[in-house]
Each structure stands twice: as structure tokens, then as C-alpha cells.
Amino acid sequence: MTWMESFRTSWSAVYSHALRSMLTILGILIGIAAVILTVGLGLGTQLDVSAQISSLGSNLLIVAPGSSTSTTGTRGGFGTSATLTIKDAEALSSTVNAPDISGVAPESTTSLSLTANDTNWTTTVTGTTTAWTSVRQRTLARGSFFTQAQADASAAVVVLGSETADELFGTQNVVGQSVVISDKTFQVVGVLATAGSDSSSNLDDVAIVPFSTAATALVGGTSSNAVSTIYLQAASDTQLSAAYQEADALLLNLHSISSTDDADFTISSQDALVSTATAVYQTLTILLTGVAGLSLLVGGIGVMNIMLVSVSERTREIGLRKALGAPPWAIRRQFLIEAAILGLSGGILGAVIGVVAALTLPAVIGSSIVVSPLAVGLSIGVAIAIGIVFGVYPATRAAKLAPIDALRSE
């Protein structure tokens, strides 16, 4: 019997029990589809997170305050202590102190209620400088950002995020309208273009005011000069490391700290955030793929079970073929081809379902799913391998049947 004849005979055996064959490959089908979706969701999430972080600027450094320690000795996380001030940001802005830093944007943030007409909305009010739009790579949809003259005069002006503007004013023209923040009336001078969300906040639900205005009219007290974050823009991607070193050395000197181990601030880069997020999602993808792979194991056991049933049902056929001179390897080959056909069928159907689901689900779940050709190809190959591996025992058992015993079976 040639390979082609073995294939035709095997296909005929599989096709003659179509329902049983479909039920057999169901486990492989589900497993392949699950693996493709899991890998695709992991890759898509990595791309989404990387895009969100990179949208802030690939040459961006983020300086955060240090940790605080309570009277009971409890130590908080980084960012819980007001160790950064506007003086630090002004020093970093000096090209003499930090020639590789091209832009500095300090932020002081607080959650406050905004009132426009009869509408109230609580959002994050951020005090910053005029360099904020260029450093954070934000653009305006309407109006303009506040000017340096307005910042110097501590003017009561505000730039709203797109979502904040919609909540307060709906579809009406926002620029020129008045909004009340902490009992002080501010004039809306601009609306930011939509930016979406990052890993920690909604970038469209904000209100931006001059830092001097926030310090005098909204915050006040001893914390008026404190900043929650300082964003630094390196002159170029290649100068990012130099900018990091300059900022670190300057802040240590300003805070009279001799060792970096005792620093009361942290400096992180966008690349570090992307690398961390990617590592986390890669680990999660591997774990989820392993769970999905269990269904492939179940599918393989199903293939072996059905092949054993097939051997039992066709015992007389096997005995007759061996009595007519068929060698054991020919019998083994036929049953292995049958198992491979089951695996291949499950792999192809699972791949089709997985790809279709990957193309349609993003609109439902709101997250990207990337179809990896490598994952699809490997999944189909694994499906065939599972069919063959789990078909070895039934095929070997069929090949070892004695012709006389097989012909005597009922």
C-alpha cells in the first residue's frame, strides 16, 4: 500500500464516522483557538501599554518624590512625601546645570470640584508651567494654552481636558466660559485634544492651571511650593542617559544628599516603564497559554481514546489485511495517518475560529488582539504532533495484532 492509498483509506475511515470525528477533534479545536487568542491578547495588550507610555515621549524622564515615614515608623511608598519643590524644577530648567535637558514641566495635582452654571464635576486640577504641552506632547483642540504672562500674573485661567469640558458644558462653545474652582472664578482659555488614558489616570479628565495660580489660590499653606511630579524632556533619545545623570546629580546636591541610596526622589524613564510592563504581560501570556494548552492535552487523550475504539471495531479488518500480506508497518502507518488527520483538522478549524475571534473581539472588549502568524503555524503543527503522538499506542497495538486472533474476533 502506497502513501496515497494509506491516506485515502485513512480519510475514508475518518469521514465514515464524521460525528465521532468532530467530537474527537473538539478538544484540539478549543485548545488551538484558546492559544491563538491568548497569545494575541497578550501581544495586543503589550502594544497598547507600550503605545500609551510611549505617547508621553520616548525621551521623557519622570521625577517623583520620595517616601514618607509616619510617627509609628510605617514607611510609605515613593511619592508619599513632599520632597520636591518648584525650586528643584527651576534648577533643572537651567541649561547651565543640565545642558542635556530641553524641557521641564513640574506638576502639583489635587482633586477638586469644578462648577459651571448648575453642573458640578470633580476632577484632577494640575498646576504647571507653560512648557507642559511640549514636554507632555499634548495639543489643543480649541483655544490656546495659558501664556507666560498669565503664569507670571497668577491669572485665573484654566485649560480643560476634553472629557471635563464635555461634562461641564456639553456641546456648547467652551472657550471664554467661566468655571468655579474652590470658590474662585476661572476663565476657560482652551480645551486639550483627546489623549485617552495611561496606566494610572484618565488624561482627558483634567483641569490645567498655572502653577503660581494653584499655589496661591488653590493650595496655599506650606505645601504651596511642593510638586507631585517633575517631567523632564531630554534634548534627544541619545541624550536620555546624560539627562538622567545630570538630574540625579543636581537633585542630590540641592537636597544635600551624598549617596544615591539615601535619595528622597526617584527618576524613571519611559523605556524602563515599557520594559517593566512588557515583562509583566509576557509572563502573564505564558501562564495563560499554559492553561489553554491543557485543553490540547485533553484533546490528545480524546484522539487516543477514539483510535483505540477504532482499532477494536476494525479488528477483523486488520486481521484480514495482515492475512493477505500487509506488513505491520503498513497497518501502523494507516492508523497514524488517521490520527494526524484528526489533529490537522482540529488545528485548522481551531486556527480559523481563533483568527476570526481575534478580528471581531477587540470591538467588544476594547483591547487589541494581534494575530501572530508564528503562533498560528506552531499551533497547527502542535495539533498534528498531538494527533500523531497520541495515535502511536493505538497504531502500535493494531500492528501487533496476530492475524488468526484478529480473524476470530467477533
Side-chain angles (χ1 to χ4, degrees):
M1 181 178 288
T2 63
W3 277 95
M4 185 58 67
E5 290 173 338
S6 296
F7 179 80
R8 289 198 190 102
T9 303
S10 300
W11 174 255
S12 177
V14 171
Y15 185 76
S16 62
H17 298 88
L19 180 60
R20 186 172 70 182
S21 298
M22 282 300 299
L23 293 176
T24 301
I25 67 176
L26 192 60
I28 295 178
L29 182 153
I30 294 173
I32 294 299
V35 168
I36 291 174
L37 282 176
T38 301
V39 173
L41 185 59
L43 293 175
T45 304
Q46 290 179 37
L47 290 178
D48 288 344
V49 173
S50 298
Q52 289 174 357
I53 296 176
S54 297
S55 65
L56 299 176
S58 58
N59 55 340
L60 193 68
L61 293 172
I62 304 170
V63 185
S67 59
S68 61
T69 303
S70 67
T71 55
T72 60
T74 303
R75 186 177 174 85
F78 278 100
T80 58
S81 178
T83 57
L84 296 177
T85 67
I86 190 64
K87 297 297 182 182
D88 294 324
E90 291 172 351
L92 289 167
S93 300
S94 171
T95 56
V96 175
N97 295 329
D100 293 294
I101 298 176
S102 62
V104 178
E107 286 188 0
S108 64
T109 58
T110 183
S111 181
L112 295 173
S113 178
L114 280 64
T115 303
N117 300 321
D118 296 327
T119 304
N120 295 322
W121 184 253
T122 299
T123 187
T124 300
V125 178
T126 299
T128 187
T129 61
T130 54
W132 187 83
T133 51
S134 60
V135 174
R136 297 298 305 273
Q137 296 190 353
R138 297 295 298 271
T139 58
L140 280 87
R142 285 166 284 177
S144 61
F145 205 67
F146 56 80
T147 64
Q148 186 60 49
Q150 290 171 325
D152 292 339
S154 300
V157 292
V158 61
V159 178
L160 300 178
S162 57
E163 185 174 323
T164 308
D166 290 340
E167 293 292 342
L168 290 173
F169 298 100
T171 58
Q172 64 178 300
N173 185 23
V174 179
V175 178
Q177 298 286 345
S178 296
V179 59
V180 177
I181 310 175
S182 293
D183 298 325
K184 186 175 180 63
T185 302
F186 284 72
Q187 182 184 23
V188 180
V189 295
V191 178
L192 294 169
T194 301
S197 301
D198 61 14
S199 58
S200 60
S201 63
N202 183 352
L203 301 178
D204 296 325
D205 188 12
V206 293
I208 311 297
V209 300
F211 185 89
S212 55
T213 306
T216 57
L218 301 180
V219 181
T222 58
S223 62
S224 60
N225 287 325
V227 298
S228 55
T229 310
I230 301 177
Y231 290 93
L232 307 177
Q233 186 178 45
S236 66
D237 292 347
T238 58
Q239 293 171 272
L240 187 64
S241 178
Y244 181 100
Q245 298 297 330
E246 291 168 0
D248 187 59
L250 180 58
L251 289 175
L252 287 174
N253 183 54
L254 289 173
H255 294 190
S256 300
I257 299 173
S258 58
S259 173
T260 55
D261 295 334
D262 299 325
D264 57 358
F265 60 89
T266 59
I267 304 178
S268 58
S269 67
Q270 296 299 89
D271 290 340
L273 294 176
V274 170
S275 299
T276 301
T278 300
V280 170
Y281 283 109
Q282 283 178 344
T283 302
L284 184 60
T285 300
I286 293 173
L287 291 175
L288 293 177
T289 303
V291 173
L294 291 176
S295 60
L296 290 176
L297 178 62
V298 174
I301 294 173
V303 169
M304 183 171 66
N305 182 54
I306 291 301
M307 293 305 298
L308 287 173
V309 172
S310 179
V311 170
S312 299
E313 289 179 344
R314 297 156 62 187
T315 301
R316 289 181 62 82
E317 173 195 335
I318 295 170
L320 180 60
R321 290 182 59 190
K322 297 190 73 172
L324 293 176
W329 59 263
I331 304 296
R332 184 183 299 108
R333 183 175 66 185
Q334 179 181 339
F335 281 93
L336 284 176
I337 292 176
E338 288 183 26
I341 289 175
L342 291 174
L344 176 62
S345 301
I348 292 176
L349 291 175
V352 170
I353 293 175
V355 171
V356 171
L359 296 176
T360 56
L361 280 180
V364 178
I365 64 177
S367 180
S368 300
I369 300 179
V370 178
V371 178
S372 169
L374 178 62
V376 174
L378 286 177
S379 296
I380 294 176
V382 169
I384 297 174
I386 285 176
I388 294 175
V389 168
F390 283 89
V392 167
Y393 175 69
T396 302
R397 182 175 176 180
K400 289 182 177 180
L401 285 175
I404 295 178
D405 295 335
L407 289 170
R408 286 176 178 174
S409 66
E410 295 296 336

